[in-house]
Structures are given as structure tokens and as C-alpha cells.
Amino acid sequence: MAQQNRQRLALKHPSTFAQYRTLLSKDLRQEFRTKEMVTSMGIFAVLVIIVYGAALALTAQSIDIASMSGGLIWALIVFTSLTGLNRSFSHEKEQGCLEGILLVPLDRSVIYLAKATSNFIFLALVEVIAVPLFMFFFMTTVPFAPTFGMIVWPLLLGTIGMAGVGTMLATITANTRSRDVLLAVLFIPLIYPLLYACVTATTAAILGSAQWMDLYTMPLVMAAGYDVIMLLACWVLYGFAVSA
Amino acid sequence: MADELAIQARHLVKAFGTRRAVDDISLNVPRGAFLAIFGPNGAGKTTLLRMLATLSRPSSGTLAIEGVDAREHADQARDRIGLISHQPMVYPDLSAEENLLLYARLYGVADPEARVRELLDQVGLLHRRLDPVRTFSRGMTQRVAIARALVHDPDIVLLDEPYSGLDPHAVDVFDQLIDQIRPGHTFVMVSHDLRKGFSLCTHALVMARGHVVTADSKDALDFDAFERLYRETVGMGVA
Amino acid sequence: MDPVLQDIYSTIIPSAPFIIAAYALLWAALLIYVIISVRSLKKSEAQLAVLEETVASLKAQRAAAPTAEGAVSAQQAASEKAAEAAAPKIAE
Amino acid sequence: MADSQKKKRPVPEAGQWPDKLLVPVLVAGVVLTTVGFLMAFLYAAPVDGAEVNGFQLIGSKLVTHRQLLSQKIFYFHMPVAIVSFVMLIAAAYYAIRFLASKNQRYDTCSRVAMEISLLFVIGTMITGDLWTRFEWGVWWTWDPRLTTYLILMLIVIAYFVMRNSVDDPERRATYGAVISIIAFIDVPICMMVTRLIPTSIHPVVVRQNGMAPDMTITVMVCLVGMLCVAYGLYRLRFRTVRIEERVEALKEQLEEE
């Protein structure tokens, strides 16, 4: 029969972190080359701001915009992340690459972590553009509270949570029929606690009233708790969802 | 006898509820053999191949790939398998080299750059290695897919209807490549193309509705006898 | 009516419609659900009966006269033999 | 009742001991809930509402507060809510069992449990909302409890939207299991988040600071009654779905003949 054992290539199993880095660099290089996801999310964010403009144009002077801006920023972020998440798996699905990666002997959760990190980076990039833009359009009349800088923390925790849960749901809805509406229907109820906590914390930071701490720290702790629990659950369940 | 076998499957079943896509199939594929699997659509050929590629878990039955149990130590089994499917599984926006480097690093190939260069040369795409795969023709993309499937030098090469969508010239180039990598590798091919599959294979297997209908080594029958047998068995199954 | 007594019971009447509505709607929701599931149970049971009859009759007809066309069982036997044959043949 | 016919045709994983319990449990459920309903209005004392300036001797008791009838909704509201959670827990349990064994039967159990959970959540929303309408005079407030149930209802609806948009049964079952587990984790968090974050607008109305013994008994009766009704419905729906699957399988088999 054929010659028994031909000289086989040496295979040194890479560490999980090395595989994570390879997958992440693939995502980043692909996005850097096409810039498809970041531009589509950025444009969507600008469009949402324009819709806000129409919605608030008449009332902007009379109402206290500061107390609502926390909520408006987060509404902007939720819908922008939805458009991004919908496209996050389009490359994998297009040429069946997800199966190519599933063929590699690696832990499925590494795929999850790499994809969640890349989604987090893209979402954070868009937020860095969209939030200041929002402030430019709506909050120029609002005096800057000393605690304004503190909105960074809820933004950070919220984006981590949304990227984490969103990546899991995007994997599930990637090859279903009504893909984008299904992702929204699943994403928003599941993300509600995080959203509620982040909006409260952001609004407290923006208003910066005397006892702003008690309206700030508790929601922040809740958001952090949500992130930890949800990312853990998604980490464990991802193996089932991706190879279904 | 066991170590002689590349793939050993016992009573493989893939069922969900009462529907059995693959129903109690046992296979012994010796090392270096070329098994061609034929059968009508919906016979469970692709399901069987996906099970062999450890992409889907069998509902019951045992599967050993190169002596390694594919259910318990799936990772070790995956080191030995390369899959070429009608989907190329490469990223269109990345260049051919970047795609192969990605898989080479994921598999943990010792010297990825050298290995990738060698493979690209073997498939004759060295001159186009920096262009994104999006700009490649269907035939060239299929050759990148072959290179991707071989990047970690697998012992077993699984082919899922590799000829679909290829023009005659691309088919010839594909056959040439298969012959090149033939020595020392075991092949399992799912195909509709009786003539092409029969010419390449050492063993043939016909499936219908999840069962093995007939199975024989090639020298036991010539092509016309095989074609009549295929028409008869598959015809009867579907009637 | 003594004003204090009236005040004590002042919320009873206005709250009555809400309570009735609550219990009525809840009871209606449960009832509708039961009706729908019982009806679909009956429908699928009827389908099951019909199908099992046809399967039974097909089996009876096949057992009675194994014609060429009805060679499923024969073909089944063939594949059993083939499956056994597959094992040793391929593994020569 | 049609129960005797059911025995004749064995259906996979239905008709064993759980189904024999079907009729007695359903009957017990109906009886208990009606008894609970009557007790709520006749046996349990009405709860004291707002202060009344003055007092009145009624029967043997000195009454100084407005007697509230609206509180009577509570006797069905709480049991229905608890049952909806019990069903969500059952769905998550079967989902884990399905992921471990990939046995389709657990997928069916999980799906039917989610269905019953949705039914009882809708029940909770109906009774809760009417109570809010009377207590606070507004149809909807973003009160912690109401928002938690709204989110739970939306998640279960999303679960079923997902189930209808995936065709491959195994993938549908796996995705369904994953979502019901995530929902099971998400809902308590939602409950905590909405309660612990101090909402500036509405002080959290403490509804029951400790229940009088007679009220607790009534609630218990209603609760057990509702649990029996839920179990009965669960088995009924489970049998229907299993028969439908058997019909599907037979059809497929016939096509091949």
C-alpha cells in the first residue's frame, strides 16, 4: 500500500492567547482594509443625531436637555451597535469561513472572545466620534458639570456588555432568515438591564448634582455585574451556538 | 489491522427526533485509499462527510480517525483532516498569502511563511499571492482552498463536490493537483459526477436515504457494471 | 349613610370594574389557550389516526404480495448485506 | 373525557405516568383556583387603605381605614407571576438537559414550558396593569415590577420569533436552548437592576409588609391551584406537540415508500 508514514509537518499547538491574537488581527486587518463596519456604523450614528435634531429642534431651548442627554446618547449607541453587529458575521458567512475556522483544533470560546473584542473596538471607535458629535449638536448650552468626565465608565462598561451579548446573538441570528429584525428583537430585551443601569449612571454624571454618587455608583456596580455574568454565560454557551 | 485504517466508523447515525439523515453506516477506509461516495440528493452524503470532518457530532456510533476517537479527542482528529468543499472558506478581502498565513498560524505550523510560500508555489499562485482573493477566478479560488486544506499537512483529505462550478480547464488543473498530493494521503470524496469519481477512486460507495446501498472496491467492477448498479440501486430506492 | 362609613367603603365601587376585568380577562386568556390546544390536539390525533391506518394498510399489502415494486424490504436486506459487505471489502 | 382514547395510541414519550396524572391534576387545579377565588373575596379580610378621619364600629372590629377591594386582584396576580417564573426555570432546566444530550424530547419540553410561561406572563401583565390603573390612576408606569415582566414577555416572544425563523430542527433547538438559558440568567438581573436603582419618580410602593395568616392561606391555595393548572396545560400541550412530531415522521416515512 502507500508508504506507511511519510515525513509529517511539525505541528506545535499554539497557545490559546496566540490563536486569540491571530483571529483578532484577522478581524482588524479585514476591517482596516474594507472599513465597511466602522463607516456604516458612523454614518448610522450621524443619521440618528439628525433624527434627534428634528425631534428636539423646537423644544431644545425650553426643556432641560441635560437630563435627557444620557438617555439619548445610549439610544444612539444601542441602535448603532445593532447595525454593526448585524454585519459582524457577514464575512464569516459569505465564503463559509466560519466552518474553516471550526475545522482548526481550537477552543470555540476563543472565536467568541476574538469576535467580541473586535466588535468592542469598532463600537468604541464609533462612540468616540458619535458622542462628541452629539454633545456638539445638543449640549453646547449645557454648563459642564465637574463630574462630566465620569461618563467614560458607564460608556466603557456598557460597550463591553453590548459587544459581548451582541456577538453571541449575532452568531445565532447570522444564518437565519429575518436576520436583522431577529437580532434587534433578541438584543434589546436582553440588554435592557445594562441599558437601564448605564443610562442612570450617565445621566447622574452629566447632571453632577450634589449627591450624584448614589445615583452613579450603584448602577455602575450593576452594569459591571451584568457584564461579568453575561460574558461568562456567553463564553460557556458559545461552543453550542457556533457549531450547531 | 486497526492502525492500517485511516478512518474507522461503526454504526454512525445522525438523527434528529425520528428523522435519520445518516442511518447506521459502518466504514473502514485504509490509509492511501480514495473512497468515492455517490448517491442522490438528500441521501446523507454531505451529512456523513461533515461527521467525518468533525464538523457535526454523530447522534450515536463510534468514529476513529487515524486511531483517534473523533468524539472525545476531536482536536487531535482535526489536526489530521483537511476539507475542500464547494465553499472555498477563504476571506475575500484578505490576500491569498494572508488567508493561508491565518490558517497556518491557527494550526500551529512550525514555519508559517515558508510553508505558505511552498504551498502557493505548488498550486501555481505564487505570483498572485498579494492580491485579495476577491479578484481571483473560481478556479484560482478553488486552488487557494486546496492550499488552505493542506496547510497543516493532513493525512486525510475530504472533498465535498469539489468540481461544482469549475470549467473544464479548472477541472484538469484540479485533477493534476490531486494527483500531485495523492501519495501518502487518504481521500474521501462526495460527488455526483459518476465518471470522474469512478476514474479517481480505489473504492466506491453508493448511499440512498441514509443507508449504504452498495460498496465495493473499484477493481471488483468496471464502470458500465457500476453505472448499471448505481442506476438500479438508486432508482429502486427512489421509486 | 354615615359619612365615615361612606368614606370607609368609598373605594369599593370604583375599584369593582377593575377587579372584575382582571379576573375575567385572566380566566378568558386561560380558556382560549385551553380551547386552542385541545382543538389542535384533536386535529393532530385525527391526522395521526389516518396516517397510521395508511402505514398499517401498506405494511399489510406488502406482506401479503411482495411484488417487484414493493421490494423495499428486499432492498433493505440488500443494504444490510452490503453494509456487512462494506466492512470487510473496503478494509482489504 | 377523551382521555381513554389517548391510551390506545402510544405516542413517543407521552402517555406514561405523567399523562395519567393529567386529568386529576387539571381537575384539582380548577377546583383549587375556584376555592381560592372564593376565599379571596369571602374569607380573607380586606386590606386597610388610606386613613379615614373618624372611626366606625363594623361588626366586632373598629375600622379606621378605607377598606380596599382593589387589593383582591393580588390573590391571583402573585400566584400567576410565580408560576410564570417556575415555567421559565423549567424551560431553562430542559434546555440544559437538551444541550447535554441533544435529545429532541428535551427541546420539546423546553419549548412547551416557554409557551406556558408566556401565557402566565401575559396573565400577570393583565392583572398587574389593571391594579396599577386603579392604584396609581395611570395605565403604565416604569415601575420595577411592571418593566421586569414587560422585558420577560418580550424575551419569550423573541424566543418564539427566533424559533420560527430557523428551519433546521437541530439548529433551532440548540439556539432555542441557548436563548432560554440566557433569558433565565437575564431576568433576575433585570429584576434586581430595576429595584435597586432608586427611581426618582415613583417611590417603590411596599405592597405587603407581612401578610395576615388568612391572606397567606388564600394565596397558597391559589398558588397550588395555579401550579396544577400549569402542569395540566403543560402535559396537554406536550402531548399535542409530540403527536404532531409523530405525524411529521409518519408523513416522511410514507413519502419514501
Side-chain angles (χ1 to χ4, degrees):
Chain A
M1 278 311 293
Q3 78 267 35
Q4 279 317 338
N5 31 36
R6 47 180 177 66
Q7 195 280 328
R8 288 195 62 261
L9 200 66
L11 278 185
K12 177 182 66 54
H13 263 296
S15 69
T16 324
F17 182 69
Q19 286 173 330
Y20 164 74
R21 223 186 29 245
T22 321
L23 282 172
L24 184 58
S25 64
K26 176 263 294 179
D27 275 339
L28 297 181
R29 179 175 305 123
Q30 196 172 356
E31 182 54 27
F32 180 72
R33 190 151 298 166
T34 57
K35 283 187 273 305
E36 179 200 19
M37 227 166 118
V38 174
T39 40
S40 65
M41 285 159 87
I43 293 167
F44 190 83
V46 170
L47 295 177
V48 169
I49 289 175
I50 291 167
V51 169
Y52 283 168
L56 304 172
L58 305 172
T59 59
Q61 285 65 27
S62 55
I63 51 142
D64 170 11
I65 193 80
S67 61
M68 273 174 42
S69 53
L72 291 174
I73 289 177
W74 277 103
L76 172 72
I77 292 172
V78 164
F79 287 111
T80 311
S81 63
L82 268 177
T83 33
L85 288 168
N86 254 319
R87 314 174 60 78
S88 68
F89 269 89
S90 59
H91 293 298
E92 263 68 24
K93 282 294 151 204
E94 227 172 283
Q95 302 289 344
C97 302
L98 190 59
E99 289 198 334
I101 293 186
L102 288 175
L103 276 170
V104 172
L106 56 80
D107 183 358
R108 290 354 185 182
S109 309
V110 174
I111 307 173
Y112 170 72
L113 202 59
K115 189 52 100 173
T117 321
S118 64
N119 282 338
F120 169 75
I121 293 170
F122 301 145
L123 191 52
L125 251 166
V126 171
E127 270 168 41
V128 161
I129 308 160
V131 172
L133 209 63
F134 174 85
M135 286 193 281
F136 169 75
F137 278 105
F138 291 99
M139 293 169 75
T140 41
T141 57
V142 168
F144 266 81
T147 60
F148 193 82
M150 297 304 278
I151 69 167
V152 172
W153 291 109
L155 280 174
L156 184 69
L157 284 175
T159 313
I160 292 173
M162 285 187 188
V165 174
T167 306
M168 164 62 103
L169 294 179
T171 317
I172 289 179
T173 59
N175 39 32
T176 57
R177 280 197 304 276
S178 50
R179 198 193 349 249
D180 31 27
V181 73
L182 185 60
L183 180 64
V185 160
L186 285 167
F187 182 71
I188 290 179
L190 283 172
I191 211 78
Y192 181 82
L194 178 70
L195 184 65
Y196 185 71
C198 290
V199 165
T200 322
T202 319
T203 317
I206 290 175
L207 293 178
S209 56
Q211 72 292 359
W212 68 284
M213 281 303 278
D214 52 22
L215 254 180
Y216 181 81
T217 39
M218 175 52 82
L220 216 58
V221 165
M222 305 300 294
Y226 178 92
D227 284 354
V228 166
I229 296 171
M230 273 310 189
L231 289 185
L232 214 62
C234 292
W235 172 273
V236 167
L237 291 170
Y238 196 74
F240 297 107
V242 75
S243 49
Chain B
M1 210 276 266
D3 58 19
E4 241 293 320
L5 293 177
I7 301 176
Q8 191 179 19
R10 280 285 163 276
H11 307 300
L12 275 183
V13 170
K14 180 68 180 179
F16 191 76
T18 50
R19 194 175 56 81
R20 285 174 169 243
V22 166
D23 195 352
D24 187 11
I25 284 185
S26 298
L27 274 183
N28 286 338
V29 183
R31 195 163 288 137
F34 190 119
L35 172 66
I37 302 179
F38 302 103
N41 284 337
K45 312 193 292 295
T46 309
T47 319
L48 176 60
L49 198 76
R50 278 174 63 87
M51 274 200 283
L52 295 182
T54 69
L55 280 177
S56 80
R57 230 163 59 113
S59 308
S60 66
T62 61
L63 171 63
I65 292 177
E66 292 291 342
V68 169
D69 182 327
R71 278 168 73 123
E72 262 62 38
H73 315 293
D75 280 359
Q76 279 166 24
R78 287 191 185 119
D79 266 345
R80 309 290 188 83
I81 294 173
L83 173 65
I84 302 170
S85 134
H86 38 274
Q87 278 197 322
M89 299 189 195
V90 285
Y91 289 91
D93 301 315
L94 299 182
S95 75
E97 192 175 34
E98 278 162 350
N99 267 300
L100 294 179
L101 276 174
L102 165 71
Y103 283 104
R105 288 202 188 94
L106 285 178
Y107 278 109
V109 170
D111 176 1
E113 282 73 16
R115 174 67 180 163
V116 165
R117 283 286 161 74
E118 176 205 335
L119 271 172
L120 280 171
D121 191 22
Q122 200 178 353
V123 293
L125 285 172
L126 201 54
H127 59 290
R128 291 290 302 271
R129 66 180 183 284
L130 297 178
D131 307 340
V133 174
R134 187 182 295 285
T135 59
F136 284 12
S137 73
R138 178 85 179 91
M140 289 160 77
T141 314
Q142 192 75 344
R143 279 147 61 192
V144 175
I146 295 173
R148 172 196 51 73
L150 300 176
V151 75
H152 56 302
D153 189 10
D155 296 325
I156 299 169
V157 179
L158 305 172
L159 301 125
D160 187 1
E161 285 158 22
Y163 296 107
S164 65
L166 289 187
D167 57 60
H169 167 64
V171 168
D172 296 343
V173 170
F174 189 83
D175 285 346
Q176 211 190 355
L177 281 172
I178 294 292
D179 288 345
Q180 245 177 30
I181 51 176
R182 189 93 183 243
H185 286 85
T186 312
F187 288 79
V188 178
M189 183 166 88
V190 163
S191 178
H192 285 295
D193 188 336
L194 279 182
R195 188 167 301 286
K196 172 66 71 181
F198 195 78
S199 63
L200 282 170
C201 74
T202 59
H203 299 80
L205 186 95
V206 178
M207 275 178 70
R209 287 203 324 285
H211 301 283
V212 171
V213 174
T214 56
D216 229 326
S217 66
K218 175 172 163 186
D219 34 46
L221 31 88
D222 58 48
F223 181 71
D224 302 333
F226 178 73
E227 195 169 13
R228 220 180 316 94
L229 187 68
Y230 177 82
R231 287 278 178 280
E232 192 191 291
T233 48
V234 168
M236 190 168 54
V238 171
Chain C
M1 257 275 268
D2 166 354
V4 172
L5 198 63
Q6 203 175 5
D7 192 359
I8 286 174
Y9 291 120
S10 63
T11 61
I12 302 290
I13 310 305
S15 69
F18 293 101
I19 297 153
I20 298 162
Y23 280 105
L25 279 173
L26 184 64
W27 190 74
L30 284 172
L31 194 66
I32 293 165
Y33 186 75
V34 167
I35 290 170
I36 293 172
S37 55
V38 165
R39 195 140 37 87
S40 64
L41 175 66
K42 287 284 168 284
K43 188 166 64 65
S44 45
E45 265 185 352
Q47 265 179 343
L48 187 68
V50 164
L51 279 168
E52 289 209 328
E53 255 80 42
T54 38
V55 167
S57 63
L58 260 173
K59 284 237 167 16
Q61 175 227 345
R62 182 139 307 124
T67 56
E69 169 268 333
V72 166
S73 47
Q75 183 252 346
Q76 208 71 21
S79 67
E80 250 73 39
K81 181 177 65 52
E84 278 354 75
K89 188 82 68 212
I90 286 198
E92 100 260 4
Chain D
M1 240 271 280
D3 194 52
S4 55
Q5 286 158 344
K6 271 185 227 133
K7 294 287 171 307
K8 281 212 296 308
R9 272 188 295 285
V11 162
E13 284 89 23
Q16 299 107 331
W17 65 269
D19 264 358
K20 298 206 176 35
L21 281 178
L22 179 67
V23 172
V25 162
L26 210 57
V27 166
V30 169
V31 163
L32 279 172
T33 33
T34 26
V35 164
F37 176 77
L38 296 173
M39 280 167 69
F41 284 92
L42 306 173
Y43 173 70
V47 163
D48 293 349
E51 189 76 31
V52 167
N53 42 34
F55 59 88
Q56 190 60 36
L57 191 64
I58 304 165
S60 61
K61 208 148 74 69
L62 191 68
V63 174
T64 57
H65 291 271
R66 273 201 202 127
Q67 297 307 299
L68 287 180
L69 188 67
S70 63
Q71 190 266 345
K72 298 296 180 191
I73 297 180
F74 167 74
Y75 290 108
F76 261 39
H77 179 63
M78 199 170 114
V80 166
I82 291 172
V83 165
S84 70
F85 271 122
V86 167
M87 275 298 162
L88 188 72
I89 295 163
Y93 164 73
Y94 279 120
I96 293 170
R97 288 287 296 270
F98 169 76
L99 288 179
S101 65
K102 290 283 181 186
N103 171 351
Q104 193 219 354
R105 179 177 176 282
Y106 295 127
D107 168 51
T108 319
C109 298
S110 177
R111 178 194 144 192
V112 172
M114 274 299 219
E115 228 173 79
I116 310 280
S117 169
L118 178 61
L119 174 71
F120 278 91
V121 161
I122 293 171
T124 322
M125 290 293 281
I126 295 170
T127 48
D129 208 39
L130 283 165
W131 189 78
T132 317
R133 174 69 183 84
F134 182 73
E135 274 302 302
W136 294 331
V138 71
W139 277 108
W140 176 258
T141 73
W142 289 94
D143 166 76
R145 276 173 301 283
L146 271 87
T147 35
T148 324
Y149 280 103
L150 178 68
I151 298 300
L152 174 56
M153 189 167 76
L154 290 177
I155 292 178
V156 179
I157 290 172
Y159 171 85
F160 283 109
V161 167
M162 190 283 297
R163 272 195 88 96
N164 316 342
S165 68
V166 176
D167 307 327
D168 166 17
E170 187 171 354
R171 211 142 46 83
R172 176 176 55 211
T174 316
Y175 293 159
V178 165
I179 288 175
S180 75
I181 292 171
I182 291 183
F184 169 69
I185 294 167
D186 192 85
V187 167
I189 302 178
C190 188
M191 202 179 275
M192 266 201 314
V193 164
T194 43
R195 273 173 185 61
L196 288 182
I197 293 180
T199 48
S200 52
I201 40 165
H202 259 283
V204 176
V205 170
V206 175
R207 185 177 299 172
Q208 286 321 101
N209 34 32
M211 285 193 282
D214 58 350
M215 285 160 47
T216 349
I217 297 166
T218 327
V219 171
M220 281 313 136
V221 167
C222 293
L223 181 59
V224 171
M226 274 301 168
L227 280 170
C228 295
V229 166
Y231 181 79
L233 288 179
Y234 172 77
R235 285 311 304 180
L236 191 66
R237 275 298 291 160
F238 180 76
R239 164 177 289 282
T240 316
V241 172
R242 289 309 280 183
I243 289 182
E244 273 157 20
E245 276 151 18
R246 190 162 163 70
V247 162
E248 240 26 78
L250 281 175
K251 267 193 207 140
E252 223 161 87
Q253 214 180 351
L254 278 178
E255 257 151 50
E256 285 152 17
E257 293 309 316

